[in-house]
Amino acid sequence: MCGIVGYTGPRSALDILVPGLEKLEYRGYDSAGICVVDVTESIQTIKTTGKLSGLKEELKRHTSIKGYSGIGHTRWATHGEVTLENAHPHQDCAQEISVAHNGIVENYASLKDELQRVGHKFLSLTDTEIIPHLIEEELKHTKSLENAIAKTVSRLEGGNSILVISTLEKGRIIAARKGNSGSIAIGTGNNEMFVASDLPAIVPHTKTVQHLDAEEMAIISPEKVLYRDLTGKQLEKPYTEISSTLQSPSKGNFEHFMLKEIYEQPKAIRQTFQNRISFDKKQIDFPNFPMTQEEINSLKKIVLVGMGSSLHAAMVGKTWMERVAGIPAEWDHSSEFRYRESVFQEGTLVISLTQSGETADTLAAMLKAKEHLASQVVLSNYPGTQAERIAERLLPIEAGPEIGVAATKTFTCSLTTLYLFSIFLGVKRGQLDLLKTSSLISSLSLLPELMTKYLSTDDQIREISNKYQGYPNFLFLGRGLNYPLAMEGALKLKEVSYIHAEGYPAGEMKHGPISLIDNSMPVVGIVPSDGLKDKMLSNLSESKARGARVLAIASESDSQIQNVADDVIRIPDAPSDLNPIVAALPLQLLAYHIAHIRGCDIDQPRNLAKSVTVE
C-alpha cells in the first residue's frame, strides 16, 4: 500500500527519492509527496494528488530545492479523501518535523483530541498528522528526538511504520515500527544510507540491507545506523544480501506489465522448478528445507491461509495436500483465521501464502499460529521478509519481479510450488510409490510447454473480449480444483476492468445465483476434461436455458462443449491436477483484454495496492 523511501548522504536527495517512489508505484497510491532538509536547514515539502508524473512536473518548478537528506511517500488513502492537504509527508506546528507513514493509527481520534486541547492545529483529516504533533509535544519533556519518537510510537495503536526527518537533527532519518504493518529495509552505501518500505526502491544503490522488526527503531546517518527497541535497548541486526533479480524490469515491447508478466509464466514456472526437480531421476527435493523426517511423519493436518489470489492458490493447495500428500487439509482467509478461536492440534502445519511477504492479515495469522506453537511454512516471492522471519521456513515461489498489481505469474508459481510441496510430502510420508511419483513428475515436465502453446493463441481471446466487454456482470463457475479458478477469474476481471463478477462452485448455482441469470449475465464455465466435466456441462446447459451467454474454457479434445457454449476458449489437454495452472492463463488474458478495451488503468487499478500492509 503506501510506499515510503528515504535517503541521507552526499548526493541530492531528490535524485534518489523520486526514482525510488517510481519503483514503488506498483504498491498502489493516489497522491505523493517529498520532504527534504535543504541547505538553509528548513524543511521543503512538495506534494501532489494523482500520479507521480504530477509530482515530477511540480518539482520542475522548484529547482532551487537543494537537500542531502529527505523522505518521500506515495499515499493509499485510508483516513481522509484524496486531497493535497491529506497527502504525505505531514509536519508539526513548528514545521520542524516531517513524517511519512504506512499503517493505520487506530486510536488517532483520542490522540488528536488530546493534542487539540493543548493547542495543536491540524491541516488534514489524516490519522498520520497526529504523529509529528505527538513528537513535538514529547520534545517538551526530552531533548532527545529519538526518545520523543520512541515514546510517540509506543502510544500508537495498530500496525504502523514511519520515517522522520527534522531540522533539529540535520542529516538524520529515524525509522520506527509498531506492530506488524509496513516493512522497512535500510540499505548501506558508501557514506550514504537508503531506506524504503520495499526493496526495489533501494536495490539500484545497495546490495546489503537490514530489516526493521516490530517495536524497533533505527537512527540513520550517512555513516552508520544504530538500532534500538522502543524501550531504548541497543540491538544488533543481521545483514541480508539482495539479489540483483529484484531490479524492477522494463515493459519491453509489451504495453503493460500485466501482459508481459502473463507471457513470462512459462519461464517463471521453469524458475520454480530449478534445483527442486530432477526430471531424469524423477525426484523432488527442497534444498536446505528445515523440516526433519520425524516432523513430516508427525503431520496430522495442514492449514493453508492467504488473501486474494494467494487464498485461491491455497484453496487449490488444500485438494493437492489431501489427494497427493494424503494429509487432511483446510483453507482459510488470513483475515478470518486471525480472529477465529482455532483449535491447534499437535501435528498441525500452517502454510501461509503471501507474494510480498508483508501482507498484514497474513502476518497476523502467522503470529497467532506461532503463539500456539504450530509448525509453519511460508510461500513468498521475496527473501528476507517479515513472513519468513515469523515462519522460519521459506519456500520461495521464484516468480521474479511482478510489477502489475493484479497477480499473474505469482499466482501460477504459488500453485506450482504448492504442487511440488504436496508431492515432496507424499514421497516423504510413503503416500506415493516410485511409479506414481515418476508419473506426476513426468506430467510436470510438460507444464511450461503447455503454457507456451496456449499463449500462442492470444488472438482468440482478443476477439472474444470484444464480444463480452460491454456486459456489467459476470458469473464464473467451476467444480473441484477449478472452483478456486472461478474465484480467481472473477477476481481478475473485477480488479482490472472494474466489472462486477462472482466466482462460485457450480454445484451452488441452483442455491441462489441461478436467480440472477438472464441474457445480460454471461456465465464463464471452467470445463477441462476431468472427472467433473459432465456435471459442469449440465450446469452450463441450465445457464443456457435461462438466457445466459455461455463462455467455456475447455480442453482441446472436448467435442461436447460446443453444444452448450456460445463461445469456447480451448486450452491444451493436461493432467487433471495441472488444469488449474493452465486454465489460469485464459482467465488472466480475458480480464486483461476486456480492461484494455474499456481503457482501464491495468497495471495500477484504482483503489488497489500490490502489498496490502494494513488491515
Side-chain angles (χ1 to χ4, degrees):
M1 307 191 87
C2 299
I4 51 179
V5 61
Y7 171 78
T8 181
R11 290 191 265 178
S12 169
L14 292 179
D15 292 342
I16 307 299
L17 299 178
V18 175
L21 289 179
E22 288 179 316
K23 288 183 169 60
L24 298 181
E25 282 190 288
Y26 66 89
R27 291 174 68 94
Y29 68 103
D30 44 54
S31 60
I34 283 177
C35 280
V36 297
V37 178
D38 74 4
V39 292
T40 68
E41 299 192 11
S42 62
I43 291 179
Q44 299 293 327
T45 303
I46 304 295
K47 302 193 284 188
T48 59
T49 57
K51 296 297 184 183
L52 273 173
S53 56
L55 180 65
K56 293 169 72 174
E57 287 298 315
E58 188 66 24
L59 285 169
K60 290 178 181 178
R61 292 188 281 272
H62 293 79
T63 56
S64 62
I65 296 178
K66 302 292 182 185
Y68 304 99
S69 63
I71 56 178
H73 188 274
T74 50
R75 177 183 186 241
W76 190 88
T78 54
H79 293 78
E81 297 178 354
V82 180
T83 65
L84 198 60
E85 292 77 16
N86 291 334
H88 297 208
H90 288 285
Q91 284 78 45
D92 64 323
C93 292
Q95 302 288 293
E96 295 177 331
I97 299 163
S98 185
V99 173
H101 169 228
N102 185 3
I104 295 176
V105 182
E106 295 177 359
N107 59 332
Y108 88 99
S110 60
L111 292 174
K112 186 173 183 178
D113 286 344
E114 174 188 320
L115 289 164
Q116 286 176 321
R117 284 197 297 271
V118 294
H120 287 265
K121 306 295 183 183
F122 290 86
L123 305 178
S124 78
L125 298 177
T126 69
D127 56 337
T128 301
E129 196 183 0
I130 68 157
I131 299 173
H133 288 274
L134 276 173
I135 297 169
E136 182 182 31
E137 193 65 23
E138 290 291 347
L139 280 169
K140 295 177 181 178
H141 311 291
T142 177
K143 294 183 179 180
S144 167
L145 179 63
E146 62 187 77
N147 286 344
I149 292 172
K151 290 181 180 180
T152 292
V153 174
S154 296
R155 297 192 65 190
L156 307 180
E157 294 179 5
N160 296 279
S161 299
I162 63 171
L163 296 186
V164 183
I165 59 171
S166 174
T167 58
L168 304 174
E169 295 193 6
K170 184 181 176 183
R172 273 191 173 186
I173 300 172
I174 298 181
R177 287 189 67 186
K178 175 74 180 294
N180 292 296
S181 289
S183 61
I184 293 181
I186 296 117
T188 303
N190 184 16
N191 289 320
E192 58 185 350
M193 293 289 174
F194 311 88
V195 56
S197 55
D198 224 345
L199 293 178
I202 59 177
V203 165
H205 310 291
T206 182
K207 297 304 176 194
T208 58
V209 299
Q210 294 167 293
H211 294 275
L212 204 60
D213 289 316
E215 323 307 317
E216 293 180 355
M217 59 191 299
I219 298 90
I220 306 164
S221 59
E223 302 81 16
K224 63 181 180 180
V225 184
L226 300 176
Y227 294 95
R228 54 174 281 191
D229 65 19
L230 296 182
T231 68
K233 179 182 176 181
Q234 297 295 315
L235 302 172
E236 295 293 328
K237 304 289 291 182
Y239 286 92
T240 301
E241 295 293 324
I242 305 176
S243 169
S244 60
T245 60
L246 289 175
Q247 295 273 6
S248 295
S250 69
K251 287 183 283 193
N253 295 324
F254 292 90
E255 188 170 353
H256 297 93
F257 278 111
M258 182 180 179
L259 187 61
K260 177 176 183 281
E261 289 153 3
I262 289 172
Y263 273 82
E264 286 177 341
Q265 286 175 104
K267 176 184 176 182
I269 296 297
R270 290 189 181 96
Q271 290 174 183
T272 304
F273 287 168
Q274 194 169 6
N275 299 323
R276 292 171 171 176
I277 303 181
S278 170
F279 290 110
D280 294 335
K281 297 179 180 179
K282 300 296 189 288
Q283 293 177 350
I284 290 179
D285 195 14
F286 289 91
N288 304 315
F289 183 66
M291 199 168 187
T292 67
Q293 183 66 53
E294 182 180 359
E295 288 175 307
I296 292 172
N297 289 341
S298 67
L299 293 177
K300 295 182 174 62
K301 184 175 76 169
I302 292 176
V303 179
L304 300 103
V305 298
M307 300 292 286
S309 294
S310 291
L311 174 67
H312 301 153
M315 294 166 70
V316 177
K318 170 212 181 317
T319 300
W320 284 336
M321 292 299 162
E322 293 182 335
R323 179 188 297 177
V324 180
I327 307 172
E330 61 186 56
W331 58 266
D332 204 350
H333 301 260
S334 301
S335 58
E336 295 296 322
F337 180 85
R338 66 182 290 191
Y339 291 117
R340 285 197 298 105
E341 297 300 321
S342 303
V343 177
F344 289 86
Q345 67 185 75
E346 187 176 351
T348 297
L349 173 67
V350 176
I351 300 177
S352 301
L353 287 81
T354 162
Q355 64 84 22
S356 67
E358 302 292 345
T359 304
D361 284 306
T362 301
L363 293 177
M366 294 175 68
L367 287 171
K368 179 176 182 179
K370 188 172 186 176
E371 290 172 5
H372 290 270
L373 305 179
S375 296
Q376 296 199 63
V377 172
V378 64
L379 273 67
S380 176
N381 199 33
Y382 301 104
T385 65
Q386 187 171 352
E388 180 185 356
R389 296 195 291 278
I390 295 171
E392 299 180 350
R393 294 181 178 124
L394 171 69
L395 291 182
I397 66 172
E398 304 290 1
E402 185 179 71
I403 305 304
V405 167
T408 52
K409 62 180 181 176
T410 55
F411 175 68
T412 52
C413 286
S414 294
L415 286 174
T416 304
T417 305
L418 281 174
Y419 193 55
L420 291 174
F421 192 46
S422 68
I423 297 173
F424 173 79
L425 293 177
V427 171
K428 290 287 188 181
R429 290 167 60 87
Q431 177 75 13
L432 300 175
D433 59 25
L434 289 175
L435 184 61
K436 181 62 173 176
T437 303
S438 177
S439 175
L440 294 177
I441 292 175
S442 294
S443 297
L444 266 172
S445 69
L446 303 174
L447 186 56
E449 286 73 22
L450 291 174
M451 299 173 82
T452 300
K453 178 182 178 182
Y454 174 75
L455 288 169
S456 67
T457 66
D458 187 24
D459 288 345
Q460 179 197 21
I461 299 284
R462 289 193 187 95
E463 294 174 9
I464 288 175
S465 298
N466 271 308
K467 295 182 184 179
Y468 286 84
Q469 57 87 19
Y471 288 97
N473 301 286
F474 280 72
L475 180 63
F476 287 72
L477 298 176
R479 282 181 179 262
L481 284 168
N482 298 299
Y483 153 49
L485 265 292
M487 300 281 288
E488 177 66 10
L491 176 63
K492 284 290 154 288
L493 191 65
K494 283 185 279 194
E495 284 179 319
V496 298
S497 74
Y498 315 146
I499 293 173
H500 173 255
E502 296 297 333
Y504 261 85
E508 280 284 307
M509 184 182 70
K510 291 192 287 290
H511 295 267
I514 198 169
S515 67
L516 298 172
I517 294 175
D518 58 20
N519 59 11
S520 66
M521 168 81 83
V523 173
V524 181
I526 305 169
V527 202
S529 295
D530 58 19
L532 294 170
K533 187 187 83 170
D534 289 342
K535 298 291 186 184
M536 278 298 302
L537 290 174
S538 176
N539 293 133
L540 295 183
S541 294
E542 292 164 346
S543 301
K544 185 72 174 171
R546 285 155 179 82
R549 187 178 187 96
V550 173
L551 170 59
I553 297 170
S555 301
E556 283 179 328
S557 60
D558 189 340
S559 60
Q560 298 173 285
I561 190 64
Q562 61 266 28
N563 298 326
V564 298
D566 296 282
D567 297 285
V568 181
I569 298 172
R570 298 284 183 175
I571 58 174
D573 290 277
S576 294
D577 277 345
L578 302 184
N579 275 324
I581 303 175
V582 178
L585 302 182
L587 295 171
Q588 294 167 358
L589 286 168
L590 182 70
Y592 172 82
H593 286 301
I594 288 178
H596 191 269
I597 294 165
R598 290 165 60 89
C600 299
D601 190 348
I602 292 173
D603 285 336
Q604 297 170 25
R606 67 188 184 202
N607 303 330
L608 294 184
K610 185 72 172 171
S611 301
V612 182
T613 57
V614 296
E615 185 175 359

